[in-house]
Amino acid sequence: MLEPFLTHEGTAAVLMRDNVDTDQIIPSREMKTVSQQGLGEGLFAAERYLDPAARRVDPDFVLNRPEQVGSTILISGENFGCGSSREHAVWALKEYGIRAVIAKSFGEIFHGNCIRNGVLPVTLAPAQVDQLAAIEAPVRISINLEDQILYCSALPDWSQRFEIGEFARRLLTEGLDPITLTLTEMDRIEAFQARDAEARPWVYAND
Amino acid sequence: MAQSLFDKLWAQHRVCDAGDGADLIAIDRLLLHERTGSVALKSLAAQGLAVKDPSRVYAIMDHIVSFRRGRGRDEARSPGGEAFITETRAMAQAAGIHLIDTDDPSQGIVHVAAPEQGIVLPGFSIVCPDSHTCSLGAFGAMAWGIGSSEAEHVMATGVLRATKPKQMRVQIDGRLRHGCSAKDIALYLIAKYGTAGGKRCAIEFCGSTVTALSLEGRLTLCNMAVEFAAYSAVMAPDETVLAYATARLPERTNRAAATAHWQGLQSDADAAFDYEIHIDAADISPQISWGTSPEESLALGDTVPIDAAARALDYMGLAAGQRLSGLRIEGAFIGSCTNGRLSDLQAAAAVLRGRRVAQGVRAVCVPGSQSVRREAEALGLDRIFIEAGFEWGAPGCAMCFYAGGETFAPQSRIVSSTNRNFEGRQGPGVRTHITSPVIVAASAVAGAICAPVDLSIVSEATV
Ligand code: SF4
């Protein structure tokens, strides 16, 4: 069971460039264990540390700046999470404490991985993202997932509706696990496989 | 209504509506590798769930295995990597799924080994927690990369919940110019339309240029589709693919029925696509990347764009307007799921025969699979590589991506037959230029970026 995501308010860190790929989010060499845990420390390791091996912190990297301490939201450009399909990228974000990513667009696999892991991906029009990114740090944002609306305290009259699929919203707001949901369809899955095994027996003749 | 090949594949695997515009899609084969698969197996077991149909799930060791010839059974190429190998092995055995272990004669990079072992056949739906799974669409299969939780979902339920993607047709016609291969088509396409150009579509590659590609060339082109933001890539299987697949059908299969099914795997003449791209093969010249994204590629003789991004220039140690050909290199790598197959090694060996790698260049060739390695060695290609001064490695992903451990030096310039030139992809600060195997081979010999045709000129000049 995941932590349901209904509303969230937090500090947003701005990483304003396009194509932040999963290898930047969690470099390969940081994926040391066969586990979903222990990845938060490796988040953005190549940028966050002057010397990643020694964990010597780079004070200029956005998440390391004093006003960004405790950031729970990221703001970025186009195609966030592109590249390698490693789900470790989301696990690292989540363990670090990121609950939502606001971007102009997302890498497909990363987007799905976020939803399955209880991290909210918010796609906004480029102009809206640029507007948020231009605010003097720290940017405080509040998200209401039930109504699909974003607010920003620095922009008092501003609110922005965002789109997210009904299924994704249900998983996030109810903290649901997709496997449990699909297992309720097992009769139909088995009926399909029985029919398919007649039509394409070579798919199943594989022992 | 007229249907595309992808429409047909989707319909054949659609179990039912799953709400919110998605369907439950039956998955014929699930592939795992030790890097992402081990996590999925572990997490599934931790939830107390069993693999529903273990006979259709395969774990293959490729990402972390050492590429040192004569490697030990658990030898990893990165410190602490042994755990990925030993844990995947233990969990695969416990789950009862197929295991292609480090010392198995079928071992190789998952996308290279799957066709060889008949794990992918035309018309299959096949997924793997690895983004280059789209390679396998070259067989007329519906193949795409998934996340590790989705792999758990497939293991537990036999299906995936998926929304049918939009579709794009990329038609390439005409004869490829001399010195060009499938890799050049891919880089040209991505450079021209951008890394987002595929718009998350299922892309069908077709046209006379595609039809003329070898099976291996087809796999190369489909492999790069994910760098074009494709959801998946697909090609109508031709006679060569069907013959290759027929030879790999399980025993006791009615071959005629399978072939009849496969022959229907083509788009109807008037099938509609959401997007269409047409490319004239005559416009494609040999390509190489200059920057840190595959779209930052150009024809070998061209200069780095005047408006090139400062960050990419800085990382790559280049200046806007600079010419790539002639730039000194320190490393060369031939291998990967993009260009680690027999024909890639043959093409590179033809360039290397009777030549030597330049001083100061570390050159490495790693066959994509044990089967490729055996065939190459039977043809004496290993001798050609080794005599030229290449290291000849043991099959796996090897230097395609950095996982810790030994690699090229920071700031060194590398030509590589792989698919990603992201910052740090081959190691911290390593400057990767992705290109075709023949350009890698020629550049290794010259010690500088060049095409095979330039080699004779270079050697004359140095006489
Ligand atoms: S060879 Fe490279 S791109 Fe291919 S599967 Fe291995 S790591 Fe990924």
Side-chain angles (χ1 to χ4, degrees):
Chain A
M1 180 81 186
L2 300 162
E3 186 188 340
F5 191 122
L6 298 165
T7 59
H8 175 75
E9 184 176 354
T11 301
V14 178
L15 201 64
M16 197 32 73
R17 57 174 195 264
D18 295 341
N19 300 314
V20 173
D21 62 63
T22 49
D23 195 62
Q24 294 174 43
I25 301 172
I26 180 84
S28 298
R29 61 188 167 281
E30 297 291 341
M31 295 159 44
K32 294 182 191 102
T33 60
V34 191
S35 160
Q36 302 187 9
Q37 269 85 51
L39 294 161
E41 212 187 286
L43 181 73
F44 293 118
E47 291 174 83
R48 195 168 140 202
Y49 304 111
L50 289 166
D51 176 358
R55 293 287 187 251
R56 197 150 60 80
V57 168
D58 180 350
D60 289 339
F61 181 63
V62 58
L63 289 173
N64 294 335
R65 292 181 204 142
E67 69 275 17
Q68 295 294 159
V69 168
S71 296
T72 54
I73 300 170
L74 273 186
I75 299 180
S76 191
E78 299 280 1
N79 213 15
F80 187 90
C82 61
S84 154
S85 62
R86 64 185 70 155
E87 198 156 337
H88 306 70
V90 178
W91 298 331
L93 285 166
K94 196 173 153 180
E95 188 175 301
Y96 182 86
I98 300 296
R99 299 243 39 215
V101 182
I102 301 169
K104 297 176 183 176
S105 61
F106 287 91
E108 173 98 16
I109 297 173
F110 177 82
H111 190 270
N113 286 343
C114 279
I115 290 159
R116 265 184 298 282
N117 286 284
V119 174
L120 172 67
V122 179
T123 311
L124 287 190
Q128 305 279 359
V129 175
D130 290 337
Q131 191 181 358
L132 291 176
I135 299 168
E136 195 187 331
V139 189
R140 292 285 298 177
I141 287 181
S142 83
I143 303 168
N144 181 328
L145 180 54
E146 284 187 298
D147 299 336
Q148 297 171 225
I149 294 185
L150 281 186
Y151 304 92
C152 174
S153 56
L155 305 170
D157 299 327
W158 185 90
S159 70
Q160 181 60 45
R161 195 181 148 79
F162 58 92
E163 295 307 322
I164 187 157
E166 195 41 48
F167 178 78
R169 203 177 62 115
R170 187 169 159 216
L171 284 185
L172 286 164
T173 52
E174 295 179 28
L176 266 185
D177 145 35
I179 293 180
T180 315
L181 207 61
T182 301
L183 285 173
T184 63
E185 299 281 8
M186 206 32 89
D187 289 352
R188 293 168 91 164
I189 294 168
E190 278 172 355
F192 174 91
Q193 288 182 339
R195 280 198 311 279
D196 193 35
E198 297 274 314
R200 301 185 308 145
W202 57 90
V203 176
Y204 301 85
N206 193 41
D207 296 314
Chain B
M1 209 181 101
Q3 285 185 305
S4 69
L5 168 53
F6 191 81
D7 289 330
K8 294 180 189 182
L9 291 168
W10 192 269
Q12 285 164 10
H13 292 89
R14 186 176 176 277
V15 174
C16 62
D17 185 13
D20 215 13
D23 296 321
L24 288 189
I25 294 295
I27 299 301
D28 297 332
R29 296 286 182 271
L30 171 69
L31 305 172
L32 302 171
H33 58 65
E34 79 277 27
R35 188 142 165 274
T36 52
S38 48
V39 184
L41 284 164
K42 201 172 190 177
S43 166
L44 190 76
Q47 292 167 63
L49 293 166
V51 180
K52 184 169 183 298
D53 190 348
S55 75
R56 296 194 283 130
V57 182
Y58 292 76
I60 306 185
M61 308 281 196
D62 58 359
H63 275 65
I64 309 290
V65 295
S66 165
F67 58 98
R68 192 180 63 80
R69 254 186 310 164
R71 69 181 171 218
R73 188 155 179 257
D74 300 339
E75 188 177 327
R77 65 189 176 90
S78 54
E82 298 74 24
F84 287 94
I85 297 170
T86 53
E87 295 199 29
T88 299
R89 179 185 300 134
M91 282 181 290
Q93 284 166 344
I97 63 172
H98 296 271
L99 171 65
I100 301 184
D101 211 333
T102 54
D103 54 0
D104 191 300
S106 318
Q107 182 265 342
I109 304 169
V110 54
H111 317 303
V112 177
E116 292 168 350
Q117 304 308 321
I119 299 169
V120 60
L121 291 173
F124 274 13
S125 59
I126 181 163
V127 293
C128 174
D130 188 281
S131 46
H132 291 96
T133 310
C134 54
S135 313
L136 305 176
F139 275 75
M142 189 161 69
W144 71 99
I146 56 173
S148 178
S149 313
E150 283 181 296
E152 289 169 42
H153 191 282
V154 174
M155 286 194 273
T157 67
V159 299
L160 259 186
R161 187 180 191 286
T163 305
K164 191 175 176 187
K166 290 199 162 160
Q167 293 180 59
M168 177 183 287
R169 176 160 58 190
V170 176
Q171 179 160 351
I172 309 155
D173 284 307
R175 265 176 73 108
L176 274 178
R177 283 159 64 167
H178 183 71
C180 285
S181 63
K183 181 65 159 290
D184 302 293
I185 303 177
L187 288 176
Y188 175 86
L189 174 72
I190 299 166
K192 182 159 179 177
Y193 294 93
T195 41
K199 302 179 192 291
R200 295 183 189 171
C201 289
I203 297 182
E204 178 170 347
F205 288 105
C206 64
S208 63
T209 317
V210 173
T211 316
L213 287 177
S214 67
L215 177 54
E216 302 196 342
R218 290 166 170 241
L219 286 158
T220 301
L221 182 53
C222 288
N223 175 274
M224 294 288 291
V226 73
E227 310 309 330
F228 192 53
Y231 179 92
S232 71
V234 71
M235 290 177 180
D238 69 349
E239 288 306 319
T240 321
V241 172
L242 295 193
Y244 187 95
T246 306
R248 287 163 174 77
L249 271 169
E251 283 169 43
R252 307 185 310 277
T253 300
N254 180 339
R255 274 148 212 268
T259 312
H261 178 78
W262 294 343
Q263 274 158 349
L265 297 174
Q266 336 194 355
S267 290
D268 297 334
D270 44 354
F273 290 82
D274 300 287
Y275 306 96
E276 303 241 15
I277 286 179
H278 289 264
I279 286 178
D280 184 348
D283 293 338
I284 305 173
S285 342
Q287 303 281 311
I288 185 164
S289 70
W290 64 263
T292 55
S293 156
E295 71 184 8
E296 291 169 341
S297 293
L298 39 72
L300 185 57
D302 285 353
T303 53
V304 175
I306 294 300
D307 57 352
R311 185 182 165 114
L313 288 175
D314 182 47
Y315 182 84
M316 293 301 292
L318 293 169
Q322 192 170 356
R323 190 171 297 282
L324 287 187
S325 53
L327 273 182
R328 290 252 141 247
I329 60 159
E330 284 84 34
F333 177 68
I334 294 177
S336 87
C337 58
T338 313
N339 283 124
R341 297 185 182 80
L342 187 65
S343 57
D344 301 311
L345 272 45
Q346 285 174 307
V351 175
L352 294 173
R353 191 187 302 273
R355 293 191 163 113
R356 287 281 313 164
V357 170
Q359 267 208 332
V361 174
R362 179 184 180 195
V364 179
C365 176
V366 178
S369 70
Q370 299 290 357
S371 163
V372 171
R373 180 188 61 76
R374 281 192 300 273
E375 287 179 72
E377 289 176 357
L379 293 169
L381 302 187
D382 56 328
R383 298 304 336 152
I384 297 176
F385 277 97
I386 292 166
E387 276 159 24
F390 265 79
E391 294 165 37
W392 180 254
C397 299
M399 300 178 100
C400 174
F401 85 103
Y402 180 60
E406 175 256 7
T407 186
F408 298 112
Q411 275 81 53
S412 58
R413 191 173 300 287
I414 311 302
V415 283
S416 181
S417 78
T418 50
N419 47 41
R420 285 186 173 154
N421 52 343
F422 301 151
E423 287 183 20
R425 172 76 179 182
Q426 289 185 303
V430 173
R431 296 168 169 161
T432 301
H433 294 270
I434 50 175
T435 187
S436 65
V438 291
I439 292 181
V440 176
S443 306
V445 168
I449 294 174
C450 75
V453 292
D454 301 327
L455 280 184
S456 47
I457 305 167
V458 172
S459 47
E460 275 161 33
T462 50
V463 167

